[in-house]
Amino acid sequence: IDLSADLFGQSLQSPLLNASGVHCQTKEELNDLANTSNLGAMVTKSATLQAREGNPNPRYHDLANGSINSMGLPNLGYDFYLDYVLEDQQKPTILSVAALSAADAITLLKKLQASDYQGPTELNLSCPNIVGEPQLAYDFEATDQVLSEVFSFYTKPLGVKLPPYFDLVHFDQIAKVLNKYPLTHVNTINSVGNGLWVDVEKEQVVTKAKGGFGGLGGAMVLPTALANVRALRQRLNPSIKVLGTGGVTTGADVFAHILCGADLVSVGTQVMKEGLGVYDRLAAELKEIMAAKGYQTLDDFRGQLKEL
Ligand SMILES: O=C(O)c1[nH]c(=O)[nH]c(=O)c1Cl
């Protein structure tokens, strides 16, 4: 059984990545990822021009069926992560970047264009936890404007991290915008924004910022994640790869993401629950399923979801 996958020309031993934001903020965490078996590639915490503290604690809360977070984009800043990805990597690495405004995104990507970094970058258009800021990718016109300006100067590999969409018309509209640009990939989904969890015993919310509203992840978002992977795979140019993120807790979930068309699959909440050993378990479970079904490689079943 062969789990090898491709990341923009780099061969990976497995299709599994960490979800940006989970165990990827500090040098120690990034080095842990670099040494994690069955993790095929890694993504950094989304970097902003200046380092950020993020939102006040509590800002992450584990739930029986997933998680809720309002981290607020805490990160060590663009310069730190640029230095990190410029070092030679033990494991293929995607640099994730974010901005609090379209202007900042342009500034950051102009710096990146001028830098020595030639590797893959992912522009996060979907952070749901910045107080007062909308998730840019819910504004199709604004997204088109930003990408149009970015691709007027940016010539290196670039993908985008998308929020979940919930209306087939929205899948059509975002795909129409994205298909205009030479993107390496879309990563779908980011957390389901602005959920709310109530601690009934204490009669209060569980995270501090935004009155307790935060991004949802884990098992509860799997159906939404699979729908977004499938819908975007069906609509995007074949040249644009799809990284599936959201709701993965078992090898069967990884199989389902790939069956829906995912080229690679990221895992976030389950790493928070289980630790980095989760990748060995997911890889083993995926191999078991493939063997039982008579599949040798991921290409044997990728995108082959059957309809009734
Ligand atoms: O609050 C965060 O840092 C955060 N949390 C998320 O669930 N998705 C994101 O893209 C970001 Cl940037």
Side-chain angles (χ1 to χ4, degrees), residues 77 148 272:
S148 169
M272 298 297 286

Side-chain angles (χ1 to χ4, degrees), residues 7-8 20 30 42-48 77-86 92-98 108-109 112 115 117 119-124 154 157-159 185:
L7 177 77
F8 319 129
S20 178
L30 290 164
M42 51 192 272
V43 190
T44 67
K45 171 66 185 175
S46 296
T48 45
Y78 164 80
D79 294 317
F80 168 82
Y81 298 101
L82 179 65
D83 288 347
Y84 183 83
V85 293
L86 284 175
T93 302
I94 300 175
L95 172 66
S96 175
V97 295
L108 193 156
L109 286 166
L112 197 53
S115 79
Y117 180 61
T121 297
E122 186 173 282
L123 176 58
N124 184 350
Y154 200 76
L158 184 68
H185 72 287

Side-chain angles (χ1 to χ4, degrees), residues 45-46 69-74 124 126-129 190-191 215:
K45 171 66 185 175
S46 296
N69 90 82
S70 63
M71 305 304 288
L73 202 39
N124 184 350
S126 46
C127 179
N129 299 320
N190 206 317
S191 57

Side-chain angles (χ1 to χ4, degrees), residues 18 37 61 128-129 179 201 206 211 220-221 234-235 243 252 258 261:
N18 64 297
S37 58
H61 190 86
N129 299 320
N179 278 330
E201 186 261 328
V206 296
M220 72 176 95
V221 308
Q234 289 174 320
R235 289 166 174 76
L243 271 59
I258 296 170

Side-chain angles (χ1 to χ4, degrees), residues 24-62:
C24 58
Q25 191 171 324
T26 65
K27 197 166 187 75
E28 295 70 32
E29 290 176 334
L30 290 164
N31 289 339
D32 287 345
L33 291 178
N35 295 311
T36 296
S37 58
N38 284 300
L39 183 74
M42 51 192 272
V43 190
T44 67
K45 171 66 185 175
S46 296
T48 45
L49 277 172
Q50 306 301 327
R52 288 173 53 85
E53 284 288 308
N55 290 336
N57 284 315
R59 59 191 192 181
Y60 183 91
H61 190 86
D62 183 64

Side-chain angles (χ1 to χ4, degrees), residues 192-227:
V192 174
N194 297 298
L196 180 64
W197 186 253
V198 173
D199 178 329
V200 170
E201 186 261 328
K202 294 178 182 169
E203 302 180 17
Q204 71 185 5
V205 302
V206 296
T207 51
K208 189 167 177 67
K210 294 177 54 176
F213 285 68
L216 304 175
M220 72 176 95
V221 308
L222 181 62
T224 294
L226 293 176

Side-chain angles (χ1 to χ4, degrees), residues 81 106 165:
Y81 298 101
I106 300 304
Y165 299 98

